[in-house]
């Protein structure tokens, strides 16, 4: 069973945390199941960038990404080459390390 290590985030998860994942589950699903309040303004439909995260370890073990995810990611705050939308990135068999960016861009509330 792969594990997801969420690095400390000063508001959402100050101590960070490591959680077991079910193979085939998304990063967002692991977060929400463990009461990590990761934003997901479009309810996981790949239409916002609020669930943006950066994969610090295990990036290539995740499912591939679509052109639509790529387009949405372009709007994310703090975009990096190993950024993913946590609602789209499906966990494989490898442990991963995830950074939740300090800010997100929520066009719904701005
Ligand atoms: Fe909107 Fe992931 S929740 S793209």
């Amino acid at each position: 069973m792969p594990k997801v290590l969420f690095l400390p985030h000063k508001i959402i998860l100050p101590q960070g945390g490591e959680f077991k994942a079910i193979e085939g589950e998304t990063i967002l699903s692991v977060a929400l199941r463990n009461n990590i309040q990761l934003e997901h303004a479009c309810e996981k439909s790949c239409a916002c960038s609020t669930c943006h995260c950066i994969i610090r370890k295990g990036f290539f073990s995740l499912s591939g990404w679509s052109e639509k995810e790529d387009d949405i990611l372009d709007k994310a705050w703090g975009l990096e080459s190993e950024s993913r939308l946590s609602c789209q990135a499906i966990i494989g068999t490898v442990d991963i390390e995830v950074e939740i960016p300090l800010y997100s861009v929520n066009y719904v509330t701005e």
Side-chain angles (χ1 to χ4, degrees):
M1 195 176 262
K3 286 180 260 165
V4 179
L5 172 66
F6 288 97
L7 297 171
H9 179 285
K10 76 176 186 187
I11 297 164
I12 297 174
L13 193 66
Q15 305 301 317
E18 187 174 86
F19 305 94
K20 287 181 181 165
I22 300 161
E23 194 181 334
E25 179 173 43
T26 64
I27 296 169
L28 179 62
S29 166
V30 175
L32 297 179
R33 189 160 46 74
N34 290 286
N35 299 316
I36 300 169
Q37 301 305 313
L38 195 51
E39 279 191 70
H40 51 289
C42 75
E43 292 297 335
K44 311 169 197 169
S45 61
C46 197
C48 71
S49 63
T50 59
C51 69
H52 170 223
C53 62
I54 301 161
I55 313 304
R56 294 298 180 203
K57 280 191 191 152
F59 180 80
F60 289 106
S61 68
L62 299 171
S63 60
W65 56 92
S66 65
E67 210 171 296
K68 187 176 178 190
E69 180 178 351
D70 235 9
D71 290 347
I72 298 295
L73 270 173
D74 280 343
K75 300 172 186 159
W77 181 90
L79 183 68
E80 294 193 18
S81 59
E82 297 191 333
S83 287
R84 290 296 306 265
L85 295 177
S86 63
C87 74
Q88 303 297 306
I90 296 171
I91 298 164
T93 57
V94 172
D95 296 350
I96 62 170
E97 218 172 270
V98 176
E99 179 179 335
I100 301 167
L102 196 50
Y103 304 105
S104 68
V105 180
N106 186 341
Y107 291 107
V108 176
T109 58
E110 290 180 356

